[in-house]
Amino acid sequence: MLNVRAFAASVFALAIGSTFQAACSSSSGAEQDGETLTFAQAIEPLVQEKCQSCHRAGGIAPFPLVTYEDVKGMGEVAKEKVQRREMPPWGAFDDPSCKVDHAFRDDLRLTDKQVDTFVRWVEKGMPLGDPAKRPPARTTFGASGLTDKTGTYQLPAPYSVVPGKDDIRCFPIDPGFAEDTWIGGSNVVPGDPRVVHHVIVYVDPKRQGVAKAAGAGSYPCFGGPDVEEPSLLLAWAPGVPPMVYGEETGLKIPKGSHLVMQVHYHPSHEAVTDQTSVELKTLSYKPGYVAQVILAGNAETADGFIKLLPGPNDPPSGPAFVIPSNAKGHTESMELEIPEKAGDVTIPELGVYAIGAHMHWAGVDMKIEVERKTAAEGKPAKECLLGTPKYDFNWQRTYAYDAPLDKLPTVGPGDKVRFTCTYDNTTDNRHVQRAMSEMRMSSPPEIKLGETTLDEMCLGVLITVRRASLLD
Ligand code: HEC
């Protein structure tokens, strides 16, 4: 995904301030037991709360989990998926090496108790229970799009998805922004939810995507948009709600920029056309706070702000990013040290509004931690910001913290942000296995840093917020 070199420079080119302001909400669940371990009393409320946002008529999942028959019919498979925490789709979990202090917004995870309830209900034979005790049907599912959107930007033409394999394409789009434009919210609307697996929207300030598409409207682009000075507008997977920064915060798109929409299409066995779109809310004023996306960790920068740390299998010459064939649990780590200044400008403390992990097929877990130069109330010397022991390339997304702006985790000058990526480059990893068979290889290849299918990345996405300055 990227040219981090150019990016790191732009990230530190701006300035001033450290107070933030408010937003947000969350939900909770309840479970029952014993006599009440029935569909009516224990399971229907659970699937309403945690499954039906996707598994309902018109939802993005391929089948509904609404009626007793629906849930019973899928019960055994669902039990497996729930037990392995593969459903609901969500990659971020605590483990002993990483406990995240902040809650995430729109958290899809089941509690341990909910998993236990679901599993025991299936093992008990999936009783219906007393129909009179069933909850009323759930009919509201939150806004499905971006409220107050000011524009919708669609793929220029329906795209015929390449059948039978993963198809990762970049589509340049001209949003027609004649002036610098502030984005207060964004959302992706998949054209055909059966095949759109994830979408990353980049800003292409030099409008180079169009030439790459060479009149075809799109071009293949596994690792990133392959343009100079890209920045990131949003990263989306099914289940990710619209990104809304609130009235006071915006992400700047320089005038004249194009967007490049990278769409990952899932293998489809029939002919499918897709016309995905991105909804934007532009602000008609310059906001008081600036959202900025830092993509870091993937490559060393000449200025030394980002470096590769020593790891297993390093050659005598020093740290090297190499994942040997058949390595399991192999880690590579990167460190970003936030400088005190960028040129003459003092770098302010940044609130981390949302965070995400990006690796390719071999990636199985990524951890992002901060080691702060100075600890303070609510800002421990060491803090784990994200752990993704259920990382799956197919479900990559950003996770927004459920906290007002002044309570977000922070990163500031002198702090070190560490990215630790774990890879499984064996045939136990179904993604590696599939890539091998597509490429007719008999054993997993040695993997290096890069942007194509069998290269790897270890890239953190930090969507930060800071007070706007005169320079913005
Ligand atoms: C954010 C959307 C979303 C939520 C929430 C969600 N699912 Fe899914 N689910 C999907 C999608 C999309 C698929 C299609 C398969 C895929 O792409 O992985 C799926 C597939 C499945 C499958 C089929 C897997 C297979 O291999 O055939 C099961 C079973 C399942 N979900 C159960 C559940 C249960 C149970 C819940 C709630 C506890 C749930 N899901 C919540 C989106 C969701």
Side-chain angles (χ1 to χ4, degrees):
M1 173 157 132
L2 242 256
N3 184 338
V4 185
R5 254 157 262 252
F7 205 78
S10 74
V11 161
F12 298 129
L14 294 165
I16 327 295
S18 64
T19 39
F20 309 112
Q21 42 105 92
C24 315
S25 71
S26 86
S27 69
S28 68
E31 317 85 38
Q32 288 102 337
D33 223 332
E35 290 285 289
T36 60
L37 186 57
T38 60
F39 182 74
Q41 282 173 273
I43 299 303
E44 191 165 9
L46 189 158
V47 295
Q48 285 182 345
E49 184 196 339
K50 296 286 190 169
C51 315
Q52 289 179 8
S53 56
C54 302
H55 289 275
R56 66 174 199 276
I60 60 163
F63 55 89
L65 290 174
V66 175
T67 64
Y68 172 61
E69 289 71 25
D70 291 342
V71 182
K72 193 174 179 196
M74 284 309 285
E76 292 291 345
V77 190
K79 178 188 135 190
E80 294 285 308
K81 288 270 158 187
V82 160
Q83 231 166 358
R84 280 190 264 132
R85 298 216 175 249
E86 289 171 7
M87 278 290 148
W90 181 272
F93 287 90
D94 284 348
D95 68 18
S97 68
C98 173
K99 287 210 179 317
V100 178
D101 289 338
H102 291 76
F104 291 114
R105 235 190 287 167
D106 302 296
D107 196 333
L108 295 175
R109 277 175 286 191
L110 301 184
T111 62
D112 291 348
K113 203 166 166 200
Q114 285 175 318
V115 171
D116 181 62
T117 300
F118 196 87
V119 168
R120 284 188 303 115
W121 174 72
V122 174
E123 286 170 353
K124 200 179 159 190
M126 300 187 265
L128 169 62
D130 179 357
K133 300 234 162 89
R134 291 179 61 178
R138 178 172 171 190
T139 51
T140 52
F141 293 95
S144 60
L146 184 65
T147 47
D148 310 338
K149 67 177 177 230
T150 50
T152 301
Y153 307 86
Q154 206 176 26
L155 298 193
Y159 172 69
S160 298
V161 179
V162 176
K165 67 184 191 86
D166 282 281
D167 182 10
I168 301 181
R169 307 282 308 177
C170 277
F171 301 87
I173 294 174
D174 181 0
F177 293 155
E179 300 299 331
D180 287 350
T181 301
W182 294 92
I183 305 296
S186 57
N187 184 42
V188 166
V189 183
D192 187 331
R194 292 172 304 169
V195 290
V196 175
H197 221 305
H198 75 258
V199 176
I200 300 176
V201 182
Y202 296 89
V203 178
D204 174 12
K206 297 190 167 175
R207 303 193 290 271
Q208 292 174 333
V210 175
K212 301 239 166 242
S218 69
Y219 56 101
C221 60
F222 180 77
D226 198 18
V227 299
E228 286 168 36
E229 293 173 34
S231 61
L232 190 132
L233 180 60
L234 68 99
W236 176 93
V240 175
M243 185 66 112
V244 182
Y245 292 119
E247 296 303 316
E248 267 310 299
T249 307
L251 186 145
K252 185 174 170 179
I253 299 189
K255 66 180 172 192
S257 296
H258 282 177
L259 304 178
V260 174
M261 202 193 299
Q262 183 194 45
V263 186
H264 171 189
Y265 294 106
H266 221 37
S268 147
H269 299 291
E270 49 189 296
V272 168
T273 58
D274 172 67
Q275 203 165 8
T276 288
S277 52
V278 55
E279 301 174 331
L280 297 179
K281 174 190 178 182
T282 55
L283 304 178
S284 55
Y285 49 87
K286 180 179 160 183
Y289 295 83
V290 177
Q292 203 165 18
V293 184
I294 300 180
L295 297 168
N298 197 48
E300 301 198 66
T301 51
D303 50 30
F305 291 143
I306 298 174
K307 61 174 192 260
L308 179 65
L309 301 178
N313 317 99
D314 282 343
S317 54
F321 193 114
V322 181
I323 309 166
S325 172
N326 281 311
K328 204 182 178 73
H330 177 94
T331 59
E332 293 288 349
S333 320
M334 309 268 182
E335 187 177 273
L336 161 70
E337 178 165 354
I338 302 192
E340 306 280 342
K341 287 196 161 215
D344 292 340
V345 181
T346 303
I347 297 193
E349 189 170 71
L350 307 167
V352 183
Y353 178 87
I355 192 160
H358 176 76
M359 299 177 290
H360 294 166
W361 300 121
V364 291
D365 187 4
M366 180 165 176
K367 208 162 55 182
I368 304 179
E369 296 158 294
V370 57
E371 196 177 303
R372 297 195 173 89
K373 191 178 169 195
T374 320
E377 165 91 47
K379 297 171 189 177
K382 262 191 156 182
E383 183 175 354
C384 194
L385 300 176
L386 179 71
T388 57
K390 287 278 167 197
Y391 179 84
D392 184 335
F393 182 86
N394 284 338
W395 289 109
Q396 57 186 302
R397 53 168 290 166
T398 51
Y399 299 90
Y401 295 108
D402 191 7
L405 295 183
D406 62 355
K407 293 281 190 305
L408 294 173
T410 59
V411 295
D415 292 353
K416 291 174 177 164
V417 186
R418 206 160 293 137
F419 308 90
T420 309
C421 291
T422 306
Y423 303 94
D424 179 353
N425 190 18
T426 73
T427 49
D428 290 350
N429 180 336
R430 67 194 164 94
H431 293 314
V432 168
Q433 198 175 47
R434 211 195 45 216
M436 275 169 56
S437 88
E438 268 172 23
M439 302 177 118
R440 301 186 197 292
M441 292 172 151
S442 55
S443 60
E446 177 180 272
I447 298 176
K448 296 202 167 139
L449 199 60
E451 303 202 346
T452 63
T453 320
L454 284 175
D455 295 329
E456 262 303 338
M457 288 200 160
C458 177
L459 185 79
V461 180
L462 275 67
I463 302 183
T464 64
V465 177
R466 62 174 167 77
R467 194 189 276 283
S469 78
L470 291 174
L471 298 174
D472 289 309

